[in-house]
Amino acid sequence: MTTTDTIEGIGHDTGLVGQFRRPHGMLGALAGWIMAHRASNIGRNRWTVELLSLAPGAHVLEIGCGPGVGLGAVLASVPDCRVTGLDHSELMIRQAARRHAAALTADRLELWQGTLESLPHGAAFDAVFSCNVLQFVTERQALLAEVKTRLKPGGTFATTYQPRGQCASAEEGRAWIGQFAEDLCMAGFGEVEVREKPFGAMPAFCALAMALGTR
Ligand SMILES: C[S@@+](CC[C@H](N)C(=O)[O-])C[C@H]1O[C@@H](n2cnc3c(N)ncnc32)[C@H](O)[C@@H]1O
C-alpha cells in the first residue's frame, strides 16, 4: 500500500482525504495530480472503458470525471467518439480541460461543471460511466433514475468501485458492488452483471447494466 492509498481512504472529510469527494484549492490540486498519475487509478479507468465495449462514434458521459483520466481512455480508444465529462468541482473541470485541450478544440469533448441533474442533455448517450464516484452519492435511487433519462434505449451504464485506504477490504468492495447491482435492478435496469479485476493487493469491482427501451 502506498502513502497516497493510505491518505485517500481513511474516511474523514478533512485534509487531503476529503478532497477526493470535491477537490478544491491547493490540496484539491494535489488530489487531482494523484488521480491523474496513480497507476491503479489509470488502470481501473481503462478497465471500465474496455468493459463498455464502445462502438465507433459512441456518445459517452462520465459522471465525476475528476482530472480526466477516464475521458482520456475513451478519447484514445474509440474512433469518432464524442465525450461529455461532468464534475461538480470547478478545479477538476479546469484540470480536465488542460489535459484534453486538443479534444475540446476539435469538438470531441465537452466539460460540464455541476451535478447530473443540471446537465442539459436528454437521452443522448450510448454509455454512461463513473469510477470511484458513486460511493459519495447518498440518494442512490434518485441518481439511477436520472442516469436512465440520459441513456438511449439499450445504452450501457458502468460504475467501478475500488476500496481505498487502511480499512479497505475486498469483502467491503464485493458487498458494495453487490448492493449497487441490486439497486440497478430495483431502478429498472436490465442485464445487470458484476465484474471483478485484481489490481495489486486490492481488486476493483464494476457493475454493468443496460437501459431498457421504455422509461
Ligand atoms: C475520487 S474522484 C474520481 C475521479 C475520476 N473518476 C477518476 O477516477 O480519476 C471523485 C470525483 O467525483 C466528483 N464528484 C463526486 N460527487 C459528485 C457528484 N454528485 N456530481 C458530480 N461530481 C461528483 C468529485 O468532484 C471528484 O472529482
Side-chain angles (χ1 to χ4, degrees), residues 86-171:
L86 162 86
D87 202 293
H88 61 186
S89 159
E90 193 251 342
L91 175 62
M92 289 301 96
I93 291 295
R94 271 195 279 124
Q95 286 197 1
R98 272 205 302 276
R99 185 154 285 109
H100 299 300
L104 279 171
T105 306
D107 227 12
R108 293 185 67 203
L109 173 66
E110 165 195 49
L111 293 170
W112 183 263
Q113 189 202 337
T115 57
L116 185 57
E117 308 82 64
S118 70
L119 190 70
H121 305 275
F125 297 101
D126 299 293
V128 175
F129 75 101
S130 69
C131 282
N132 271 17
V133 175
L134 300 190
Q135 69 271 25
F136 299 127
V137 174
T138 48
E139 300 298 326
R140 177 88 49 87
Q141 284 302 326
L143 175 99
L144 293 179
E146 194 65 42
V147 169
K148 279 174 72 184
T149 70
R150 307 305 170 141
L151 277 167
K152 295 175 185 170
T156 314
F157 178 48
T159 195
T160 291
Y161 175 58
Q162 185 179 27
R164 313 302 300 164
Q166 282 176 330
C167 304
S169 72
E171 290 67 34

